[in-house]
Amino acid sequence: MKQILFVDACMRGPELSRTSRLCRSFLEEFTARCPDSQVSRRDLTDAKLPLLTGELAAQRDTWVKQGEEHPLLAPAREVAACDLLVIGAPYWDLSFPAALKGYLEWSSVLGITFRYAEDGRQVGLCRARALVYLTTAGGPVTGQNYGFDYVRALGGMFGIPDARCVAAEGLDVWGNDPQSILSRAQEEARALARTLAETL
């Protein structure tokens, strides 16, 4: 059974969020192709995770060293254990909402999602073979998709070798047809789901 972790940073909720619609297209297609898949959704829209302060970071290191299963280690545990990581986040201020940055900080835990080799190299500990980043934007994204650039680099640090992005951009540009743009992106997301369902 494939474990899919869906990190939902679609802050406007499923009724209003265009990114949420894009995510549904991918997940529905993937699970249709892989009916034995199990999707776990991490909802970031209520932003319950605390900001990672220096004090909390030191405490987190202690939890890991002592083998304690603290609830704040859950983001790292779930990222490490999934077979496919799917992140849905709108394009805000050239990247993504702050709630996603907080989640990714809590996911980046020495000894859970990565470690250091004897020569100092970072070695990823995550099981996932692919990461999918789904985003929508009112304006242009191409050439300045910094949110995906960051997530892709972090995924590499975690040992996830393949990172893909589907973006619906220019949705609020005057004269554009937003429904047509989103529909094309949804079909691109479905095509990517079909490809990954065959290769993962």
Side-chain angles (χ1 to χ4, degrees):
M1 178 183 294
K2 291 185 175 65
Q3 300 294 326
I4 304 169
L5 175 60
F6 172 38
V7 180
D8 184 355
C10 305
M11 307 308 287
R12 292 189 172 94
E15 289 79 20
L16 298 177
S17 171
R18 299 178 294 198
T19 309
S20 184
R21 290 168 58 187
L22 186 58
C23 293
R24 283 198 300 273
S25 295
F26 176 87
L27 291 169
E28 288 172 0
E29 185 70 24
F30 189 93
T31 53
R33 300 281 171 156
C34 296
D36 63 335
S37 298
Q38 181 176 348
V39 179
S40 299
R41 175 174 171 257
R42 166 64 78 153
D43 182 7
L44 302 184
T45 60
D46 57 4
K48 287 183 178 177
L49 287 171
L51 291 176
L52 184 59
T53 62
E55 181 180 353
L56 277 174
Q59 185 64 64
R60 182 180 66 178
D61 292 342
T62 300
W63 297 330
V64 175
K65 289 175 183 176
Q66 295 179 348
E68 184 176 341
E69 289 299 325
H70 194 279
L72 287 175
L73 293 177
R77 299 282 187 208
E78 62 197 21
V79 168
C82 71
D83 297 300
L84 173 63
L85 177 58
V86 179
I87 299 174
Y91 187 70
W92 282 11
D93 304 322
L94 300 182
S95 62
F96 45 64
L100 177 56
K101 180 61 166 67
Y103 176 83
L104 294 173
E105 287 183 350
W106 280 106
S107 300
S108 183
V109 178
L110 181 64
I112 299 179
T113 49
F114 73 98
R115 66 176 177 85
Y116 290 109
E118 290 183 1
D119 60 3
R121 290 179 299 109
Q122 286 177 328
V123 179
L125 299 176
C126 292
R127 190 170 77 184
R129 297 295 86 201
L131 179 158
V132 174
Y133 187 77
L134 303 162
T135 190
T136 62
V141 171
T142 303
Q144 53 185 9
N145 197 353
Y146 305 121
F148 174 58
D149 291 343
Y150 172 77
V151 167
R152 175 173 52 190
L154 193 64
M157 175 179 146
F158 290 170
I160 304 174
D162 187 12
R164 312 287 187 96
C165 179
V166 177
E169 57 185 303
L171 293 170
D172 298 332
V173 174
W174 180 260
N176 282 355
D177 181 349
Q179 184 52 54
S180 177
I181 293 169
L182 185 57
S183 294
R184 286 196 300 271
Q186 288 176 291
E187 184 48 47
E188 184 182 347
R190 294 185 191 100
L192 176 58
R194 290 191 290 271
T195 298
L196 291 177
E198 293 175 357
T199 57
L200 289 181

